[in-house]
Amino acid sequence: MSRSRTQPRRTLLTLMLAPVLCGALVAGLVSAAWLALGSPVPARAAVWMQIVKTGEARDSGAPDQPFFVLALGTGARSDNPADSPDDPGLSDAIHVIAVNPALGAATILDIPRDTEGPGGSKLNSYIVSSGSENLRAAANAVSSVVGVQLPMVIRVNFPHFQDMVDAIGGIDITIPTAMDDDFSGAHFSPGPTHLNGEQALAFSRDRHSFANGDLSRSNNQGLLILAALSTLRAKNPSAGDAVRLVALVGRHVKLDGVGISDLFHMGQLGLALDPTNIKNVTLPVGAAGGSNLAPTADAKSLLADFVDDGVLESH
Amino acid sequence: MEPAPSRTSRRETQQAVARRRRKIGLAIGGAVVVIAAIAVAVLALGGKGSDDRAAKTTTSDAGPGITITLEAGDVATDSAGPATSLSPAQAQAVLTTIRTYVDGGVVKPLRSGEAAGDLSGVFDAGTLARVTGADRGVMLEEGLPKVTGDITVTGKPVNFMGLGDQSGNLVLVTASVQFTVDGTIAGTKAPLHIEQHGDLVLAPDGSGVWKVTSYRMAVTRSGGGIDTTTSSTPATTKAAK
């Protein structure tokens, strides 16, 4: 009698306690392991971009001096050349971005890929690997054309670019002209639109929709950089937002000579810029030898205006 | 040979054993629950992206008739690598630097009617050059009529956001600040009201002192015939160097 009364009570108690104990045990074990191992290191994240310090900027000690950054977009599908031997990773997107903190203004100078560099090679052919030294060589080549030292290089590959745009929630942009190109996948009507990563990549690759091919493409790439900045600025108004953004990018960037603090200050400065104070200009070029292009006479005065303070006052 | 225990005594023994087992089971279960709860609590305090509230308030009398009240608000972090955290001591150190700025850059110039003193303990060298140059009119309360009587600085809770680098080291903290300054202008006895708001970015210098490395602030001044609103130009950049 008594035994039969005790048995159901014990069963009930066991049923009630079992899940609690199991849950507590699992939580305890996981927590203990976590504590023992320290904070978990996130799984290796995909590297969206590479930022390399290539040299010292002109530095008078004043914090307001202009600075110049080379932004390259390469066609390589991988960061490891051995993974894609027939993909040389030509840098078909070449842009020098100048920021003048004192004036609160900036310029995006789009350099056509066929522009001739030192030794007669096209500027898009200087990157053959993802090594920092190679990026420095590319910076020197572009620097010799533009006439200003480029102390920092940012390099993004096709698939990473797509991931990056998706991660920041896409880009709001106004498409300037109709685009209809099966090669790149760009099929857009003029007007405001929102681009996801795949669409942004198509927009920046299309050269077949334009009579002047790569020149318009290069200008569109500059437009996309500007649109990305405007979108990020609208979404990240405070310094705290900039921290979140830099932490996100920081988890996907390979840095050489540049710290996360530098990235933050650069990002904060970029986000503080009024997009109406940023000019997007394509370097005027004409025929050189073969299919190479060279800066025109007009380009020389534009470059002189550009390199003095990073802002185009007379162009 | 011992006599066989009676049925009653066997039942009592079984019940006693059952009670003991139950007690032991409950004790073990309780201990596990308590340990788990403690571990989870510790994790919550030290984990990635922690959102805390450092409730420490700095209310001080910076001199006769001067009261500065600044309070730490929400504390959060994000990291480019492993989780990072901003400890209450670090938040307090950042708050102390901000308080030193308010005292030296705002209150003292108002009280003396003279230029601010040495602020090298508040700003790093590059930023100080800018504060005492282009953005002097925003960051420092200089060139205003002398203020007599009480000067009261009242701040909203300062929210902190820390950034960790790719190794999880805390490299900088942003502080969202908003405070008002009230006083009475000497002579005319007109009330002076100042409102400052914006973001300060602080990082530890070589000796571990938290200093402002960039800022984006706006100020509005009213009273005594002074009505102005000024904003600082975009933040300074370390990357330019």
Side-chain angles (χ1 to χ4, degrees), chain B residues 6-176:
Chain B
S6 68
R7 188 175 290 175
T8 309
S9 102
R10 268 208 313 270
R11 198 164 56 227
E12 281 172 354
T13 306
Q14 282 171 348
Q15 282 175 346
V17 168
R19 271 198 304 273
R20 203 177 309 133
R21 280 185 184 155
R22 213 159 41 230
K23 278 183 185 171
I24 292 170
L26 280 171
I28 292 172
V32 170
V33 169
V34 168
I35 290 168
I38 291 171
V40 168
V42 170
L43 276 176
L45 288 172
K48 180 198 172 186
S50 57
D51 289 304
D52 281 328
R53 195 169 178 85
K56 198 141 188 176
T57 304
T58 300
T59 304
S60 62
D61 188 1
I66 297 170
T67 307
I68 300 172
T69 305
L70 286 175
E71 180 188 342
D74 294 336
V75 175
T77 58
D78 205 346
S79 176
T84 190
S85 63
L86 178 65
S87 70
Q90 287 169 316
Q92 193 56 39
V94 172
L95 192 65
T96 299
T97 300
I98 296 170
R99 190 194 168 285
T100 307
Y101 155 62
V102 172
D103 185 29
V106 175
V107 172
K108 281 188 174 147
L110 284 175
R111 173 62 88 213
S112 66
E114 294 172 359
D118 179 20
L119 293 171
S120 60
V122 175
F123 300 94
D124 71 7
T127 310
L128 184 61
R130 185 168 179 136
V131 167
T132 52
D135 291 334
R136 194 167 196 127
V138 179
M139 300 297 287
L140 308 176
E141 296 304 326
E142 295 174 335
L144 296 176
K146 201 170 167 177
V147 172
T148 54
D150 292 346
I151 297 178
T152 307
V153 179
T154 310
K156 285 194 173 177
V158 181
N159 294 331
F160 298 114
M161 180 77 186
L163 173 65
D165 66 12
Q166 290 178 321
S167 301
N169 303 311
L170 183 72
V171 290
L172 60 83
V173 173
T174 68
S176 179

Side-chain angles (χ1 to χ4, degrees), chain A residues 2 10 13 17 21 24-25 31 34-35 57 63-65 67 239 243-244 247 250-251 253 255 260-261 264-265 268-269 272, chain B residues 15 18 22 29 32 36 39 43 77-80 126 130 161-163 166 171-172 174 199 201 213-214 234-235 237-238 240:
Chain A
S2 170
R10 191 181 297 165
L13 195 67
L17 275 178
L21 288 177
L25 202 61
S31 306
W34 198 344
L35 287 172
D64 287 343
Q65 66 184 324
F67 68 96
V243 166
R244 298 261 187 225
R251 290 192 282 273
V253 65
L255 298 171
I260 288 293
S261 294
F264 173 82
H265 286 287
Q268 202 192 19
L269 182 60
Chain B
Q15 282 175 346
R22 213 159 41 230
V32 170
L43 276 176
T77 58
D78 205 346
S79 176
R130 185 168 179 136
M161 180 77 186
L163 173 65
Q166 290 178 321
V171 290
L172 60 83
T174 68
D199 291 314
V201 181
T213 60
S214 73
T237 174
K238 304 289 280 183

